[in-house]
Amino acid sequence: MSVPDYMQCAEDHQTLLVVVQPIGIVPEESFFRIYKRISAVSQVNVRDSQRVLYIRYRHHYPPENNEWGDFQTHRKVVGLITITECSSAKEWPQIFEKFHLQKEMYGSTLYDSRLFVFGLQGEIAEQPRTDVAFYPSYDECETVEKRIEDFIESLFIVLESKRLDRATDKSGDKIPLLCVPFEKKDFVGLDTDSRHYKKRCQGRMRKHVGDLCLQAGMLQDSLVHYHMAVELLRSVNDFLWLGAALEGLCSASVIYHYPGGTGGKVGPRRAQGGSLSAEAGNRHRPGALTSNGINADTSAEIGRAKNCLSPEDIIEKYKEAISYYGKYKNAGVIELEACVKAVRVLAIQKRSMEASEFLQNAVYINLRQLSEEEKIQRYSILSELYERIGFHRKSAFFKRIAAMQCAAPSIPEPGWRACYKLLLETLPGYSLSLDPQDFSKGTHRGWAAVQMRLLHELVYASRRMGNPALCVRHLSFLLQTMLDFLSDQEKKDVTQSLESYTAKCPGTMEVITLPDGLKLPPVPFTKLPIVKSVKLLNLPTSLRPHKVKSLLGQNVSTKSPFIYSPIIAHSRGEERNKKIDFQWVQGDVCEVQLMVYNPMPFELRVENMGLLTTGVEFESLPAALSLPAESGLYPVTLVGVPQTTGQITVNGYHTSVFGVFSDCLLDHLPGVKTNGCTVEVIPALPRVQISTSLPRSAHTLQPSSGDEISTNVSVQLYNGETQQLIIKLENIGTEPLEKLEVTAKTVTKEKLYGDFLSWNLEDTLCQFPLKPGKIATFTVNIKVKLDFSCQENLLQDLSDDGISVSGLPLSSPFRQVVKPRVETKPLNPQESSKVGDFSHVKTLEAILNFKYSGGPGHAEGYYRNLALGLHVEVEPSVFFTRISTLPATSTRQCHLLLDVFNSTEHELTISARNNEDLILHAGECQRIAIQVDKFNFESFPESPADGAQLANAKQLEEERQQARGLEINSKLDICWKIPSLKREGEASVEGVLNQLVLEHLQLAPLQWDILVDGKVCDCDIVVTCQVGDPVPLQVKLTNWSKHSVGPFALTMMPYQDYQNGVHNYDLQDAITFVGSNTFYIDTVKPAKDSVYFGALLFLYTGDFYLNIKFHEDNCSRELPLSWLCLPSVHIRATEPVAPTKL
């Protein structure tokens, strides 16, 4: 026997072999359709008996194997069923002749045969025949199964007769010697009468009868015959047949212990188990008839159990039988099949290691020169058996050998499809799957080198099959899952191969379905490049949407009455992991930043890289990038435009690398860090672009709030100068600009006087709503007023004598000479006081915020904020190095003296109200005197006296001081002008004023008015009167303070000024008072006045002055002297005019 049956199992020993073959030309589909129906009748209950007959069908069986039918009867073809097509009566004789020829092929062993004829109708078909069945067509053959059952019963009758004939002990009859084909030549010339020969004949016949009993369903009898055969054959050292007897004993024991079968065919063996259990149920019934008609009792069961081998003994007997087979070279097939049967039994017993020993033995059994198909079958069965015992990698090893055998060079037409199919079946054994997701979890499983070899073979088989899509899929899988194990050269080779394949068939994300239904999932390149983090970026600061606070409060959920709930907090925490606290805007370009790196040893070109999103219609704008070899972390920004509003979720990204299109989902990338994947898209808002009349600044402002400034402009101004900033607002979006609010924030530490920035928004708002593409103009006035004061020690090199005074009337009797400094001048004044001290440039910075909105976003309560940074460099123009006051001729006026220093490099003109222009050369300092009316500061708020409000006292005092300085400055109206540069500005004294100067400039709360002859006396007013006429004199006191004052006593003392420093008070003979020369004024309440009347009489002509003195009393002593300052009185007495005589 040369053709092994690798599907053999122990229970096949009880089956009858029936061959089903076609005659003539029969369509393969039709043949196997009938064959399937025939093979379904695999077991039949024998009529009038409890025995079950098992049939094994084959559609192909080598005739040489049939010659071993005496050695093991289950190898003998006992039934033949032929199927043919016949369309006419003329063809029938030829077909029937072929049927007889077919029977002759197995004629020596056949018990019975049948011929099924399809398509023939007429007289021939109507003739009743037992061995031939006629059917009109393949569809009209309902009785096929019934005829098969009748056929099997006929086989049983023959089998039973042979069993009874062989089992009957005919004393005197010579027992024939049963032989296997290769033994016949060895037994020629042997002594047939020897005892040894007879025992051999008896042992072999006992073994043969055991086979027939087993086939006939008599398990107990077969066990008895096998035991007897073993004893007889062992005694004569007939090892080949002894092994067969032992194997028969093992098979019968296996059938008894494992009624479900060992071959993996669950359906039929379950029925067998049921029949055995039914038989076992009758074993204990006394008087029950057994299959041979002999009364049985309980001793039968005891005998069966005694003769049956235990599960352990079964394996030992198999080992012994196989060792005996191994002694015969021509019994290799028998030995191989016995190993296979033992392995199947051990697999059920879960004794994997012993099973592997049997399989290892089967591998090294030498058979004749096998064909390639037989080799493939052998390796495939070995693989299947190793799989059954749990040796998955060993199973995969033999499966791969079978696959390689399919494409052996010796085969004229290699079966690459079969090779590919077998290679796919090896994947689980090598811990490989075709799903790349299985390789993203945990550590790598399996031997990477073997896995790569197998994947390369899959690629090669796919190419030879002519399926480039499969090549691309497997190469992509190799590159994705085995990247860490590939050398640099292998990475280059694999990528080159992949590019050559994708040039013909690009890789896609579609599932590839093979003809057998296996699905190959897509392989996204998540490692080319490797993404380490995904971060959704907020919009630029100028484009970020903000929610109006009043509307924000309305959206706060008030579903829960609790201030805090751990359940709510937990759910919010989970949501925060996914949702981001900023928003994107419909129609605006949004960005997602990926940190990637290239693991390849060469430059990696990634094309068509974009975002994968859900939830909102999103237009992804693909990008192309080139990553250098082993680049390290590299930032990549992917952009897109949301077209609608709602929640948008970034699920991943798509790429095209080496011609393979990949959709990489973040859920499949467990190592990727992300700040969240879901963001809200709000309705569209307008976009505004700013351009200004000033140049852009190289200085970048860093506001404390962290806001980013989109545009920075700079300008250089002199202190006190004003310049206009023209801002153009262009609507570059698609929505109309409907609302605009402008605010300013100064971020400098320098003290400013007045409004630094001012504007009028009404003219700009008149142009709204501003349609897309339109421009609105907005004007901002920049006015820089820093401190104009300068420390006195900076001008130590300038003596008082060198300072000229401008604007002071030279005729004033109160002109004072400025005292020279006592300080000693330095030896080198140019070094101690440098011009650079005066030309120190100061910097002012401010931020203009434009809060704007429009379109659908405005309706939802959103706006945008655009910031413009303003950098102003302020150069000093003039300094007020010193300030002082001189009293004027009027008590309600004074002279303000200012030392003005020109710190510029140009000639400069200073002008003040009611004063002539003063020209100052570069670096020159001059004094200017300005006569001003005193100010009433009582209208400004007083500082609080309450100690609890001391925190606000200082601030309030500063506000009062600032208000005073502002009023004084507005009255002075000091301006400067640089003619050469055509630039001008104002100079403020607000930072120069000190407390002493303010006191001198303040109008006293007590207002004293002296009227002579009804005329107010003040300044240089001279009242003229005539000698001899009484002159009315009034002293009026108005109290503007907050408290009552008085009473007061004033004494009028007239005198004459000789203009040489001598005052003559001895004027009793020249002036007399009508009444007392002392005036008494009662208490005056706040905001009230009091008048005292008197009179003077001049006796001589001349210029007279009145010196008014207060009496020293408590009232006058408590008040400051500045409150008791009375105007000067100058009276000129003239000769009386003579009356005109008519």
Side-chain angles (χ1 to χ4, degrees), residues 865-910:
N865 205 359
L866 187 61
L868 173 66
L870 179 61
H871 180 88
V872 182
E873 292 184 352
V874 184
E875 295 188 14
S877 53
V878 296
F879 282 121
F880 296 116
T881 59
R882 184 183 303 164
I883 185 171
S884 59
T885 57
L886 287 177
T889 53
S890 171
T891 58
R892 300 185 183 180
Q893 291 181 334
C894 72
H895 292 282
L896 187 65
L897 302 182
L898 295 169
D899 290 356
V900 185
F901 176 74
N902 177 10
S903 62
T904 68
E905 298 178 354
H906 308 277
E907 187 179 90
L908 182 141
T909 303
I910 289 288

Side-chain angles (χ1 to χ4, degrees), residues 655-675:
T655 61
S656 175
V657 181
F658 305 129
V660 178
F661 295 91
S662 304
D663 290 345
C664 306
L665 301 179
L666 298 183
D667 293 340
H668 298 161
L669 303 174
V672 172
K673 296 180 180 178
T674 176
N675 64 336

Side-chain angles (χ1 to χ4, degrees), residues 18 20 31-43 55-59 81 144-145 148 152 268:
V18 176
V20 182
F31 171 77
F32 281 103
R33 180 179 170 188
I34 300 300
Y35 178 80
K36 185 177 182 182
R37 293 180 62 183
I38 293 174
S39 60
V41 189
S42 60
Q43 59 190 37
I55 311 299
R56 182 163 49 102
Y57 296 95
R58 293 288 185 269
H59 56 78
I81 300 174
V144 167
E145 288 82 359
I148 295 298
I152 292 173

Side-chain angles (χ1 to χ4, degrees), residues 569-581 673-678:
H570 178 67
S571 64
R572 287 178 180 173
E574 291 179 345
E575 183 181 0
R576 195 177 301 117
N577 291 334
K578 286 289 182 182
K579 192 174 179 181
I580 304 175
D581 57 356
K673 296 180 180 178
T674 176
N675 64 336
C677 303
T678 302

Side-chain angles (χ1 to χ4, degrees), residues 259-302:
T262 63
K265 301 176 183 178
V266 179
R269 296 306 169 191
R270 284 182 178 172
Q272 170 192 352
S275 65
L276 286 175
S277 62
E279 179 187 353
N282 293 324
R283 291 172 190 158
H284 303 285
R285 293 190 306 161
L289 290 175
T290 61
S291 59
N292 56 6
I294 303 174
N295 290 336
D297 55 14
T298 54
S299 61
E301 179 63 28
I302 297 172

Side-chain angles (χ1 to χ4, degrees), residues 1081-1126:
I1081 301 176
D1082 294 333
T1083 301
V1084 182
K1085 294 182 178 180
K1088 301 295 182 180
D1089 56 37
S1090 178
V1091 182
Y1092 183 84
F1093 298 92
L1096 286 173
L1097 181 62
F1098 292 91
L1099 304 178
Y1100 297 99
T1101 61
D1103 287 333
F1104 300 92
Y1105 297 90
L1106 291 181
N1107 184 8
I1108 307 174
K1109 291 186 178 182
F1110 286 88
H1111 289 199
E1112 292 288 336
D1113 55 11
N1114 292 333
C1115 293
S1116 61
R1117 193 178 297 120
E1118 293 175 356
L1119 299 176
L1121 292 177
S1122 60
W1123 290 26
L1124 304 176
C1125 182
L1126 279 74

Side-chain angles (χ1 to χ4, degrees), residues 213-314:
C213 291
L214 191 59
Q215 285 183 312
M218 301 175 64
L219 184 61
Q220 176 187 350
D221 291 1
S222 68
L223 287 169
V224 173
H225 287 295
Y226 283 138
H227 274 290
M228 293 175 64
V230 168
E231 292 176 3
L232 288 170
L233 295 170
R234 196 185 297 275
S235 64
V236 295
N237 292 333
D238 192 356
F239 294 118
L240 180 62
W241 285 79
L242 174 58
L246 289 171
E247 186 181 355
L249 187 59
C250 292
S251 298
S253 301
V254 168
I255 293 170
Y256 176 75
H257 284 293
Y258 309 107
T262 63
K265 301 176 183 178
V266 179
R269 296 306 169 191
R270 284 182 178 172
Q272 170 192 352
S275 65
L276 286 175
S277 62
E279 179 187 353
N282 293 324
R283 291 172 190 158
H284 303 285
R285 293 190 306 161
L289 290 175
T290 61
S291 59
N292 56 6
I294 303 174
N295 290 336
D297 55 14
T298 54
S299 61
E301 179 63 28
I302 297 172
R304 183 195 298 254
K306 180 180 179 182
N307 292 325
C308 184
L309 299 176
S310 67
E312 292 77 13
D313 289 340
I314 292 173

Side-chain angles (χ1 to χ4, degrees), residues 493-515:
D493 295 341
V494 170
T495 53
Q496 288 175 359
S497 300
L498 184 59
E499 286 179 324
S500 66
Y501 288 132
T502 54
K504 303 174 184 177
C505 179
T508 65
M509 287 298 293
E510 297 178 0
V511 176
I512 298 178
T513 304
L514 299 178

